[in-house]
Amino acid sequence: MRTIVITGASGGLAQEMVKLLVDDQLILLGRNKDKLAQLYGDHPHTELVEIDITDDQALEVLVADLYQHYGKIDVVINNAGYGIFEDFDHISNQDIHQMFEVNTFALMNLSRRIATRMKESRKGHIINIVSMAGLIATGKSSLYSATKFAAIGFSNALRLELMPYGVYVTTINPGPIRTGFFDQADPDGTYLKSIDRFLLEPNAVAQKIVKIIGKNKRELNLPALLNLAHKFYTLFPKLADKLAGGTFNYK
């Protein structure tokens, strides 16, 4: 039985992943234990943990406790994150610090604490669910994209450092997924409506993620159309900027 840690466990994507991992020991992290219990109370082999993942001291204690109790962590899925789509000059200093704390620093801190142990045991898999916004920036996503670009940079370096020890690091970069993410990112639903044809279904994304657990896959960019856009963006940056600023600017 694999031991799998999932952050942001009350989110829509995590809920779909949990459905597919019934034979694994799951440690599900979230901000509200009541909500976790409501979602996963009947699920076998689960430990529900209420934690503020931006508190590094709490993460340190948690990881020590988990290793003491289970003896190993096979997989960590960093799934927690949120977004705000706003003009750069409408973003506050507090917004900047808060989003980096959740989207980037928490991912880095939990990854490095568990990766240290995985490195010693010479096995394990870290899966960082980031975003296509970390590969392709668009207007009104300056802060969100910055947190995601940073998370990808960290993941890429971590992958290289852990490679000699048989530990895998995979970044998952989905485009927009039909989940509660947009309740905060797009309160009036305008953006969601404009990109409806590009929306990914959470169960389909979850299936792809679960399928690569334990496999040495560098990254997974979804959907195929946005993966193609990323390749175009890399090869023709000036033209890509023009298109992203006009034709494909849906925000």
Side-chain angles (χ1 to χ4, degrees):
M1 185 184 284
R2 299 174 299 190
T3 306
I4 301 176
V5 175
I6 304 177
T7 70
S10 54
L13 181 57
Q15 290 174 46
E16 295 300 326
M17 285 191 283
V18 168
K19 288 177 190 173
L20 303 170
L21 297 168
V22 287
D23 297 325
D24 298 288
Q25 173 61 53
L26 304 180
I27 296 110
L28 304 176
L29 277 52
R31 286 173 298 176
N32 187 317
K33 196 162 187 178
D34 290 339
K35 189 170 183 185
L36 290 173
Q38 201 179 333
L39 290 169
Y40 306 115
D42 299 329
H43 197 279
H45 320 304
T46 56
E47 180 178 345
L48 309 178
V49 180
E50 183 176 308
I51 189 171
D52 174 5
I53 58 166
T54 66
D55 180 347
D56 184 46
Q57 188 63 39
L59 288 182
E60 185 178 6
V61 171
L62 173 72
V63 171
D65 287 349
L66 291 177
Y67 272 90
Q68 192 172 359
H69 189 265
Y70 296 103
K72 61 166 187 162
I73 291 171
D74 298 295
V75 184
V76 58
I77 302 176
N78 283 300
N79 171 63
Y82 73 99
I84 301 169
F85 297 144
E86 193 57 89
D87 289 321
F88 79 94
D89 49 356
H90 290 179
I91 296 164
S92 70
N93 182 53
Q94 188 184 14
D95 289 335
I96 292 170
H97 283 265
Q98 280 180 349
M99 201 183 294
F100 265 97
E101 287 284 353
V102 175
N103 291 5
T104 313
F105 303 151
L107 175 147
M108 291 174 74
N109 281 325
L110 185 58
S111 293
R112 73 187 173 86
R113 293 201 176 283
I114 293 180
T116 302
R117 311 270 191 146
M118 288 179 169
K119 185 179 170 182
E120 286 169 11
S121 62
R122 303 184 78 88
K123 60 180 179 181
H125 195 173
I126 295 168
I127 298 175
N128 290 332
I129 297 174
V130 192
S131 172
M132 284 303 294
L135 296 172
I136 304 172
T138 55
K140 291 195 175 183
S141 72
S142 60
L143 172 55
Y144 183 64
S145 282
T147 66
K148 298 300 186 175
F149 267 81
I152 289 173
F154 169 76
S155 302
N156 288 345
L158 187 66
R159 180 186 304 110
L160 298 176
E161 291 186 40
L162 292 174
M163 202 182 285
Y165 301 94
V167 178
Y168 305 148
V169 179
T170 303
T171 47
I172 310 287
N173 300 310
I177 306 174
R178 202 185 298 277
T179 66
F181 171 89
F182 290 100
D183 297 347
Q184 183 172 3
D186 177 44
D188 64 5
T190 312
Y191 173 62
L192 201 58
K193 199 173 177 182
S194 67
I195 56 148
D196 189 68
R197 66 188 181 282
F198 299 121
L199 273 182
L200 293 160
E201 295 302 329
N203 60 331
V205 178
Q207 284 173 21
K208 288 183 186 295
I209 295 167
V210 167
K211 204 173 178 180
I212 63 166
I213 290 176
K215 293 179 181 168
N216 189 12
K217 189 164 179 68
R218 186 182 188 276
E219 66 181 8
L220 179 63
N221 301 326
L222 303 164
L225 185 64
L226 283 182
N227 186 35
L228 192 65
H230 165 54
K231 286 180 168 50
F232 181 82
Y233 187 87
T234 310
L235 291 168
F236 308 104
K238 278 190 179 177
L239 182 55
D241 276 357
K242 202 174 243 186
L243 291 171
T247 315
F248 299 117
N249 185 16
Y250 294 107
K251 291 191 187 73

